[in-house]
Amino acid sequence: MVKTIWIGDVQSGKYDDQEVELKGWIKRERGSNKMRFIVLRDSTGTIQCVVKKDAIGEELFLEVKNVLIETSVIINGIVNADERADGGHELIATSFEIIGPVNPDRPFPINKEALDSAVDEDGELMPGGSEFLLDNRHLYLRTSRMTSMLKLRSSAFGAIHNYFRNEDFIEYQAPNFVTGAVEGGSTLFEVPYFGRTAYLTQSWQLYAEAAMPALERLYTIAPSFRAEKSRTRRHLTEFWHAEMEMAWATNDEIMAHGEGVVRHVARTLLEEQEKELTSLDRDLDLIARYADNPYPRMRYDEAVEILQAKGDDVEWGQDLDYSKEKILTQDFDVPHFLTHYPKIAKPFYHRVDPDDDNYVLCHDLLAPEGYGEIIGGGERTWSEEEILARLEEEGTDKEPYQFYIDTRSYGGVPHGGFGLGVDRVVSWLAGATHIREVIPFPRTSRRVTP
RNA sequence: GCCGAUUUAGCUUAGCUGGUGGAGCGUGGGACUGUUAAUCCCAAGGUCGAGGGUUCGAACCCCUCAAUCGGCGCCA
């Protein structure tokens, strides 16, 4: 039963004039009552199969004629290089076997019209597609666009693992049930936990910092959950978070890894998924630019000056929201870091800049093309005294953070890390119109099905 | 939480100042020996998101609700 021959290889010319057995699903079907053209799909591509009545007999031909889209089949035949076939190759069928039929009362619902609905007048894909396609996500996954996105996603995950492992980071897992917040408490998902209330984690960070004195350089790729009612093309309630934590490192050194991993992802997509990027109409030169060029760094104060010079009414001390980020990203053709935010704009765990205590040693990485923030990170407050002072200053209850504070009581060292939104990176590099496009079953504030 | 929009056949939609809801795709039947999201003929398929109101009469006007989409804030 093992499948040995892939449509992508047949289209590459590897099996010309040979007899092969192809296994896949029917993508399209047309023809006359003497011959049918079956477009067969598998995970590697599509190929036209020519089925002639004379070659397979009347009875079988009738089955072929009545076959429905997404029927799974095994077709044997001779590979024929022919310009008339899409992709340059076709299969002249000698046999045809239906494996999994489709009920005509419920034909495959993702048809031409449904796909058109996801595209606007200019032929641009609408953000996330139509409600119908979201409801039928389990079937929409089979379309070429979604298949391409999932392949890009796989390469991105692989690239992140490779980057950190090559840099001697150790993969480490934090719990998903937690009791304390990392970001604001209002964005936690509550979970009943045997009579108590637990939360789904927003970040592995606090638990990674606990392991930092053991492993020194650690990373993860794990889901994070945020109950933000955000309705934007950059937000999911469940997203994949690549995070790293590193002992004995400064903000600059941590940023170098942020830049390193993002550039490595871009490079890997170019190397492994050129075909998919092209099929998505993505400009390869753009991805190469993101892979090859250094990412500039800019202090928060400079960003505010630029914004003010552009006539924006931003005030010093306020966090930079998406509208501000978007203006900034227009001046750059590669991602850029913003560093040294005002202390008042960031939570207690960020380390205060020893040179000027109005600022913290942090960084955000903003992706160009209007995508905005893909990394947030920085140095952590590592002395027990300082962390207690910051909690006090911020008016944050220290009880849920007791274990975290405790780690500082036993040999705290300078350290830091960042979190990277993997889905955001894939969305940006793939040129997706919505982050929903790059995750198989997106979870947002209003959708948790299918 | 706030602002804006949408909801008509399985899907995509047309529907004028309120007067018997049309079409394309798909499905079913038929024709066709090289099709390129094939083409041609025929058929079935609708309590117009739900509830209420105005009216002789509502898909259309008004109210309430629901679902969904887009944007903002917040963030990765």
Side-chain angles (χ1 to χ4, degrees):
Chain A
M1 201 62 208
V2 170
K3 175 168 166 167
T4 54
I5 297 175
W6 304 86
I7 290 172
D9 291 335
V10 175
Q11 288 286 24
S12 75
K14 192 174 165 187
Y15 296 102
D16 284 5
D17 302 318
Q18 293 180 40
E19 171 149 23
V20 296
E21 178 184 74
L22 296 182
K23 295 173 175 169
W25 292 259
I26 289 174
K27 186 183 172 71
R28 245 185 298 287
E29 186 271 338
R30 54 183 171 258
S32 69
N33 62 5
K34 296 280 173 53
M35 67 189 297
R36 309 298 297 176
F37 299 93
I38 302 289
V39 180
L40 191 70
R41 166 186 77 71
D42 74 3
S43 61
T44 62
T46 62
I47 190 167
Q48 170 167 292
C49 302
V50 183
V51 185
K52 294 180 180 174
K53 193 198 246 176
D54 295 346
I56 64 161
E58 190 129 2
E59 199 178 322
L60 202 51
F61 187 80
L62 196 66
E63 268 189 49
V64 175
K65 221 182 138 181
N66 292 329
V67 85
L68 294 174
I69 303 289
E70 287 305 314
T71 300
S72 53
V73 296
I74 299 177
I75 305 177
N76 283 273
I78 311 288
V79 177
N80 179 36
D82 193 318
E83 281 180 5
R84 291 174 295 183
D86 194 22
H89 295 78
E90 62 186 12
L91 188 77
I92 309 299
T94 53
S95 79
F96 184 93
E97 184 189 354
I98 291 176
I99 303 302
V102 170
N103 181 351
D105 296 334
R106 294 176 55 248
F108 192 66
I110 314 290
N111 57 28
K112 172 181 143 189
E113 308 300 320
L115 288 173
D116 279 353
S117 73
V119 176
D120 67 16
E121 316 71 71
D122 304 325
E124 284 292 306
L125 199 88
M126 310 254 283
S130 70
E131 179 185 347
F132 176 76
L133 293 181
L134 289 166
D135 285 341
N136 287 281
R137 191 69 169 194
H138 51 298
L139 302 176
Y140 182 59
L141 296 183
R142 305 182 186 199
T143 62
S144 59
R145 185 175 176 90
M146 199 64 214
T147 302
S148 294
M149 291 296 188
L150 293 177
K151 289 181 185 176
L152 292 177
R153 185 179 172 87
S154 170
S155 279
F157 273 70
I160 293 166
H161 281 293
N162 287 338
Y163 176 84
F164 283 118
R165 285 166 181 262
N166 287 341
E167 295 286 335
D168 296 322
F169 281 75
I170 293 164
E171 187 173 1
Y172 162 84
Q173 289 81 29
N176 286 324
F177 289 124
V178 300
T179 52
V182 179
E183 310 294 340
S186 62
T187 66
L188 288 163
F189 280 108
E190 279 190 21
V191 183
Y193 197 85
F194 304 111
R196 284 187 290 168
T197 298
Y199 304 97
L200 293 178
T201 187
Q202 300 168 304
S203 164
W204 84 325
Q205 182 193 323
L206 303 187
Y207 291 89
E209 287 188 62
M212 176 274 296
L215 301 174
E216 298 193 273
R217 295 157 78 92
L218 53 158
Y219 84 99
T220 196
I221 307 179
S224 284
F225 305 89
R226 298 201 183 163
E228 296 161 351
K229 287 184 179 170
S230 313
R231 300 185 48 73
T232 77
R233 56 188 66 188
R234 309 178 305 285
H235 282 86
L236 294 166
T237 53
E238 175 182 356
F239 67 97
W240 285 80
H241 211 171
E243 297 181 85
M244 69 87 100
E245 200 67 34
M246 192 179 174
W248 320 104
T250 64
N251 196 36
D252 279 338
E253 289 158 347
I254 296 158
M255 264 189 281
H257 283 294
E259 174 176 338
V261 71
V262 172
R263 287 174 60 178
H264 185 65
V265 171
R267 172 54 54 201
T268 303
L269 292 191
L270 278 178
E271 286 169 2
E272 296 180 357
Q273 303 294 352
E274 186 184 327
K275 189 180 129 199
E276 308 302 332
L277 288 168
T278 305
S279 79
L280 292 166
D281 287 328
R282 196 62 171 135
D283 181 353
L284 297 179
D285 292 339
L286 211 52
I287 311 297
R289 191 197 292 162
Y290 302 149
D292 295 339
N293 292 287
Y295 297 172
R297 299 172 185 188
M298 176 193 277
R299 291 179 66 108
Y300 169 89
D301 285 0
E302 291 174 67
V304 170
E305 280 169 29
I306 289 174
L307 286 167
Q308 285 171 343
K310 285 175 180 283
D312 198 278
D313 60 354
V314 64
E315 281 176 38
W316 191 93
Q318 85 182 69
D319 208 350
L320 300 179
D321 61 40
Y322 178 63
S323 65
K324 312 277 188 289
E325 286 179 2
K326 203 167 179 180
I327 295 168
L328 288 168
T329 62
Q330 287 164 357
D331 282 354
F332 290 88
D333 54 11
V334 294
H336 62 289
F337 285 100
L338 288 189
T339 67
H340 300 82
Y341 277 64
K343 182 170 71 176
I344 49 175
K346 292 286 179 182
F348 71 91
Y349 55 76
H350 284 95
R351 185 176 174 217
V352 173
D353 185 350
D355 296 335
D356 183 341
D357 65 8
N358 287 311
Y359 299 91
V360 289
L361 298 171
C362 69
H363 61 271
D364 284 355
L365 181 63
L366 307 185
E369 300 179 74
Y371 277 87
E373 188 173 346
I374 52 175
I375 280 181
E379 286 185 43
R380 320 301 188 194
T381 309
W382 57 272
S383 90
E384 187 176 1
E385 270 168 62
E386 262 181 61
I387 210 161
L388 290 171
R390 287 287 286 125
L391 280 164
E392 178 97 1
E393 201 171 276
E394 219 182 72
T396 301
D397 178 15
K398 68 181 182 187
E399 199 275 321
Y401 299 103
Q402 201 49 59
F403 88 89
Y404 183 71
I405 298 161
D406 211 29
T407 60
R408 272 64 176 167
S409 310
Y410 302 96
V413 298
H415 70 284
F418 63 78
L420 174 150
V422 183
D423 318 275
R424 283 189 178 177
V425 169
V426 177
S427 178
W428 158 58
L429 290 174
T433 52
H434 196 295
I435 195 167
R436 255 191 320 236
E437 281 203 277
V438 301
I439 186 165
F441 291 96
R443 267 70 180 108
T444 60
S445 60
R446 298 208 193 171
R447 180 175 286 276
V448 66
T449 57

